[in-house]
Amino acid sequence: MIKLLTIDSERNSAQKLGFETYIYNYDRIEKFDNDIMIRWGNSSLFYDKDGKVKEFKNVLNKGKNIRLNCEKNKSLKKISEVVRTPKIYYGTVPKNKLAVYRSIWHSSGNGFKVNKGPFKIDKEHYATQWIKTNKEFRVWYCKNNGGQFLMARRVTYNKQRLKEKFKCRSRWCYSFFKKTPKKLKEQVKLSFDKLGLEFGATDILYKNEKYYFLEINTSASIDSPEIENFYKENLVKLAKEKFPHIQI
């Protein structure tokens, strides 16, 4: 059986996928040895009967990889080795440089600020180059069958939001595409492989014919029928592909 482990803020969203859903579980991890566990943004540690940290026997998205991804400064640095990202600043932001300044543990649009340097980067925060563009995309990904993709552009019909000087599009709507460009597919796959993640969503800016990867989300909100159908279909296929010995 496929089961899903998520975080409290995404519980209602994740339940739309139709799997038996947990926020946290106090049973021994061995209880799930005959199940497939989907970690939907939840990196909680579990222990075996001897008190040692242990991962689920059959898991999609390992906890250690989700934990790395949650530290946005570290995960961004890692994916910058294989795809283009905004410049990452360390220690201080240089004079007259605009930078997005956020907590390394942020989620959604929380704590979004754009400041002009020079300024010091405080502990538990990070800063990246502000890229001015009107084109921001989200690509949902699942690793089955060589990689499956769903792409949308961030849009809003709120005139006040459109007038904002520094736009945070995290809560904007989606305009879906029928296809994802081949070049972008290749880059999305590289970024997920670099973090050892098998599914999720990534936010990407586009400027001067170049893609800039902002982050990867391992608990993408199920807030449209397109996203719901994408994951319902592909997570089951991924589970069957990775664990053919388990009856689903």
Side-chain angles (χ1 to χ4, degrees), residues 91-105:
T92 60
V93 173
K95 184 178 180 180
N96 293 327
K97 296 292 184 181
L98 284 173
V100 180
Y101 184 60
R102 309 184 77 174
S103 163
I104 62 173
W105 308 104

Side-chain angles (χ1 to χ4, degrees), residues 54-242:
K54 185 179 180 181
E55 180 58 276
F56 292 102
K57 185 177 181 181
N58 311 297
V59 64
L60 301 181
N61 274 0
K62 292 182 178 180
K64 65 178 183 179
N65 297 332
I66 295 174
R67 283 195 295 278
L68 169 60
N69 183 64
C70 287
E71 294 187 62
K72 298 302 182 182
N73 56 338
K74 293 181 181 179
S75 59
L76 191 63
K77 181 180 179 181
K78 199 167 183 67
I79 67 171
S80 72
E81 298 172 10
V82 292
V83 296
R84 185 179 287 105
T85 68
K87 179 179 176 62
I88 308 168
Y89 295 112
Y90 298 95
T92 60
V93 173
K95 184 178 180 180
N96 293 327
K97 296 292 184 181
L98 284 173
V100 180
Y101 184 60
R102 309 184 77 174
S103 163
I104 62 173
W105 308 104
H106 78 264
S107 62
S108 189
N110 298 329
F112 177 88
K113 294 180 181 179
V114 178
N115 296 335
K116 181 182 284 189
F119 64 87
K120 182 181 178 182
I121 302 170
D122 294 331
K123 187 178 180 181
E124 306 297 322
H125 288 73
Y126 74 114
T128 57
Q129 167 195 11
W130 167 257
I131 295 175
K132 186 178 180 180
T133 177
N134 291 321
K135 294 182 178 180
E136 181 173 334
F137 305 109
R138 172 163 277 205
V139 178
W140 295 264
Y141 171 75
C142 201
K143 194 175 182 178
N144 57 296
N145 194 30
Q148 301 301 307
F149 306 83
L150 175 66
M151 179 179 178
R153 182 174 177 175
R154 294 280 194 175
V155 295
T156 184
Y157 303 100
N158 185 315
K159 292 182 180 180
Q160 289 303 117
R161 287 182 176 177
L162 287 171
K163 291 178 181 178
E164 292 173 348
K165 184 177 181 180
F166 302 117
K167 298 176 179 65
C168 178
R169 303 179 181 90
S170 296
R171 296 186 179 92
W172 287 24
C173 303
Y174 302 119
S175 176
F176 289 91
F177 293 83
K178 291 183 177 180
K179 295 182 179 180
T180 304
K182 182 180 179 181
K183 179 182 177 181
L184 183 53
K185 285 182 178 180
E186 293 170 352
Q187 293 184 32
V188 169
K189 190 174 186 302
L190 283 172
S191 66
F192 275 81
D193 286 348
K194 189 67 178 178
L195 295 178
L197 296 170
E198 298 166 288
F199 68 86
T202 180
D203 295 313
I204 303 159
L205 297 177
Y206 186 71
K207 184 175 183 178
N208 297 333
E209 299 184 358
K210 295 177 181 179
Y211 296 110
Y212 294 85
F213 283 66
L214 302 179
E215 64 178 8
I216 290 176
N217 189 314
T218 57
S219 58
S221 296
I222 308 301
D223 49 10
S224 79
E226 291 88 346
I227 301 168
E228 181 178 335
N229 293 335
F230 176 81
Y231 280 123
K232 276 183 175 178
E233 177 181 353
N234 288 296
L235 285 173
V236 172
K237 289 182 177 179
L238 177 59
K240 289 180 177 179
E241 186 177 299
K242 188 175 180 182

